[in-house]
Amino acid sequence: MKDIANNLMSGVMELKPGGSEALEKLLAKAKEDGKQLRIKLGIDPTSNDLHLGHMVCIQKLKQFQEAGHLPVLLIGGYTAQVGDPSGRNEMRPSLSAEDVAGYAKTYLEQVSRVLDLGKVEVVNNADWFDKYTMTDMVKLASKVTVNQMIAKDAFGKRLEEGNPLYAHEILYPLLQGQDSVEIKADIELGGTDQLFNLMVGRDLQKANGQNPQLCMCMPLLIGLDGTKKMSKTSGNFIALNDSAKEMFGKSMSIPDELILDYFTLATRSSPDEVEAIKSRLDSGENPRQIKDELAQAIVTIYYSETEAKQESENFSKQFAKKEIPDDIPEYKLNGSNKLIDVMLAAGLCETKGEAKRLVQGGGVKLDGVKLTDPQAELNASPGAVLQAGKRKFVKLA
């Protein structure tokens, strides 16, 4: 049981309360009782597309599924209309029921590429919250204090800065917590920004005479820029709906320092496999080869091993053998590493205006991956090739 617990703890940022020992005990008790643990993950459908950052918790849910436990995928048909303020310093816009229903359908289609939905309990919290009366909501609100809600980091920060905190936002953690009561969750998964909400679920379960859930928090996946969490807003994401070619090329563009994080959070690599990759990097092996393996692992999950190998070959042929000359000049990054500044300093353009037009026209690539923001900071591996147009190249040092 200890080995199973250790494997399930791979990549986990924190598990409260009790850490891995609490998980081991819960797994042992479930085996003794001959029952499946109910592993909750709530998703508020707020757009059409998922990206690898969303899939960190889905991959963990898959691990629990493979260990014989029951994933309970909770679609926030009601809470998505309210707006989750977790980790945010401003109010998130609410959505219509029609928008949420449409987004939920696309979410499930994409999640099915990882999870066997035939072995998943899919529920929608609109099924119970739509039946709540004002009396029910007041009774729910009586289970916590305003002091507890204001203790939430995002709420406290907004109040300190004099920014508005709307009353309905304070209700959101209560709604998410009540979901755990409704489905009798044993463990709830979430990002590190969700810990407060997950712990509210424990409080409400206790108040309802249930065994309180364990709260398992996963790290937020850093995006392709190497600095901000992966999001569509930042433009640093790998979408599940990207083609196999796009997915492979974007994966090859991640900064070297994120290789281990991506193997841990975005692939199905075991802790021993990740440790072996760390040893290879520490020994001085070229990160480019290891990133190729990473890109193949990611494409294999969402497409197939055959397509992953094919994209690896295509990438090598296109960008290592055909398009890039052998005798390209080298440019040492220093000072400003903004794309537009590097292009000008490296002689890839004559003016910033020309640089901007090239980028916006799709004519600038880093190791074969199109760059779209002329003001973005370059996070490039040593030896990465920056290309402008069809004939201008520099090797970055």
Side-chain angles (χ1 to χ4, degrees), residues 93-333:
S94 57
L95 301 170
S96 70
E98 292 74 20
D99 288 338
V100 172
Y103 294 151
K105 182 179 179 181
T106 63
Y107 270 32
L108 289 174
E109 289 170 352
Q110 293 171 73
V111 166
S112 67
R113 296 163 74 175
V114 172
L115 283 176
D116 179 357
L117 292 183
K119 298 178 181 178
V120 174
E121 184 177 318
V122 180
V123 297
N124 189 324
N125 62 16
D127 291 343
W128 48 86
F129 284 132
D130 278 348
K131 299 173 185 175
Y132 267 43
T133 65
M134 178 61 74
T135 301
D136 293 325
M137 291 304 298
V138 171
K139 286 182 178 179
L140 178 58
S142 72
K143 302 288 178 66
V144 297
T145 67
V146 172
N147 308 62
Q148 285 175 277
M149 294 296 107
I150 293 178
K152 182 179 173 69
D153 288 343
F155 291 166
K157 186 174 181 180
R158 280 158 66 180
L159 291 174
E160 288 174 8
E161 295 175 349
N163 294 321
L165 175 62
Y166 293 89
H168 78 282
E169 296 181 89
I170 295 178
L171 292 176
Y172 189 95
L174 276 172
L175 298 175
Q176 182 173 333
Q178 184 63 20
D179 287 340
S180 294
V181 174
E182 295 285 347
I183 66 175
K184 298 179 173 62
D186 294 303
I187 299 173
E188 182 171 7
L189 303 179
T192 51
D193 57 348
Q194 287 280 313
L195 179 59
F196 181 92
N197 295 4
L198 272 56
M199 295 298 284
V200 170
R202 282 180 55 84
D203 293 339
L204 293 180
Q205 285 178 311
K206 288 179 186 177
N208 284 273
Q210 296 182 11
N211 291 325
Q213 64 190 13
L214 293 182
C215 303
M216 180 175 280
C217 292
M218 301 300 295
L220 302 177
L221 187 67
I222 300 300
L224 303 180
D225 57 357
T227 55
K228 300 176 183 176
K229 76 172 184 177
M230 184 174 287
S231 70
K232 286 191 286 185
T233 302
S234 299
N236 60 357
F237 64 98
I238 301 175
L240 265 62
N241 283 335
D242 281 342
S243 67
K245 179 179 181 179
E246 290 174 317
M247 191 174 284
F248 189 95
K250 288 181 179 180
S251 299
M252 288 295 292
S253 73
I254 70 165
D256 293 351
E257 59 268 23
L258 293 181
I259 289 175
L260 292 178
D261 285 347
Y262 272 66
F263 268 110
T264 301
L265 301 175
T267 76
R268 295 172 181 165
S269 301
S270 69
D272 288 343
E273 289 169 333
V274 174
E275 187 59 35
I277 292 163
K278 182 178 184 301
S279 297
R280 290 168 60 190
L281 289 168
D282 290 344
S283 70
E285 183 174 337
N286 190 339
R288 189 183 185 90
Q289 174 56 38
I290 297 175
K291 272 200 278 192
D292 184 281
E293 295 169 21
L294 170 64
Q296 288 194 55
I298 291 172
V299 173
T300 295
I301 291 172
Y302 301 104
Y303 287 92
S304 69
E305 184 176 357
T306 299
E307 286 171 286
K309 289 181 177 178
Q310 185 62 55
E311 292 307 329
S312 174
E313 293 175 8
N314 291 343
F315 189 91
S316 177
K317 289 176 182 177
Q318 185 174 1
F319 302 115
K321 297 177 182 178
K322 288 186 177 180
E323 291 190 356
I324 301 176
D326 294 328
D327 55 345
I328 60 177
E330 185 173 89
Y331 174 76
K332 186 174 182 179
L333 291 171

